[in-house]
Amino acid sequence: MGQIAERDWKVLRRIRDDALHRLSARMVSGVREMISEVDPDGDAHATFLAICRYVHDQNVELGDLFDDWRRSTAITTLMLWAKAGIITEEEFAAFSAETKEFVHARVEVRFYAAKA
């Protein structure tokens, strides 16, 4: 598959902000979890450093998933988002059959599901 179809590019552009929000919320949740697990009698500095490493790693992932925003890389972006589980099944269903088949053949698609 070459460049993504115009119709699919429009879908990807439409869902971008929601995908970014979901990824960011997951990252913030990870920081909250790390903070809530801090042992009050433990090494606060070690915890702080662990949080810094986590934030750095998450920032790298954020860049990998959102920084190369061009139509020519859109199919790769969609595959990364699908693999990361930051798009819903309904959003994925909006893509053309050709695009969905292409993505399914190359990555394990994980759909975002809001926690109840």
Side-chain angles (χ1 to χ4, degrees):
M1 175 174 230
Q3 196 168 27
I4 197 167
E6 178 66 23
R7 174 187 175 278
D8 289 334
W9 172 237
K10 288 179 181 179
V11 173
L12 194 70
R13 287 189 334 218
R14 182 174 44 82
I15 67 174
R16 183 178 194 270
D17 287 345
D18 289 334
L20 178 59
H21 172 77
R22 291 180 195 121
L23 179 65
S24 298
R26 184 170 69 200
M27 292 172 175
V28 168
S29 178
V31 171
R32 280 190 186 121
E33 187 175 311
M34 292 176 80
I35 291 170
S36 70
E37 293 174 356
V38 172
D39 177 3
D41 298 325
D43 185 353
H45 183 66
T47 300
F48 173 76
L49 292 176
I51 290 170
C52 287
R53 281 190 300 275
Y54 174 81
V55 169
H56 171 76
D57 293 346
Q58 296 307 298
N59 192 46
V60 169
E61 180 180 8
L62 180 75
D64 290 346
L65 295 176
F66 287 93
D67 282 357
D68 195 16
W69 186 246
R70 296 175 287 147
R71 185 173 171 196
S72 62
T73 60
I75 193 68
T76 301
T77 297
L78 177 58
M79 288 189 294
L80 291 170
W81 291 3
K83 186 176 179 182
I86 59 173
I87 61 173
T88 66
E89 193 168 358
E90 294 79 21
E91 289 167 340
F92 190 73
F95 290 95
S96 66
E98 177 186 18
T99 295
K100 289 185 287 192
E101 289 169 14
F102 186 87
V103 171
H104 271 296
R106 284 157 181 80
V107 298
E108 179 182 343
V109 176
R110 296 176 30 217
F111 296 117
Y112 174 82
K115 294 181 181 178

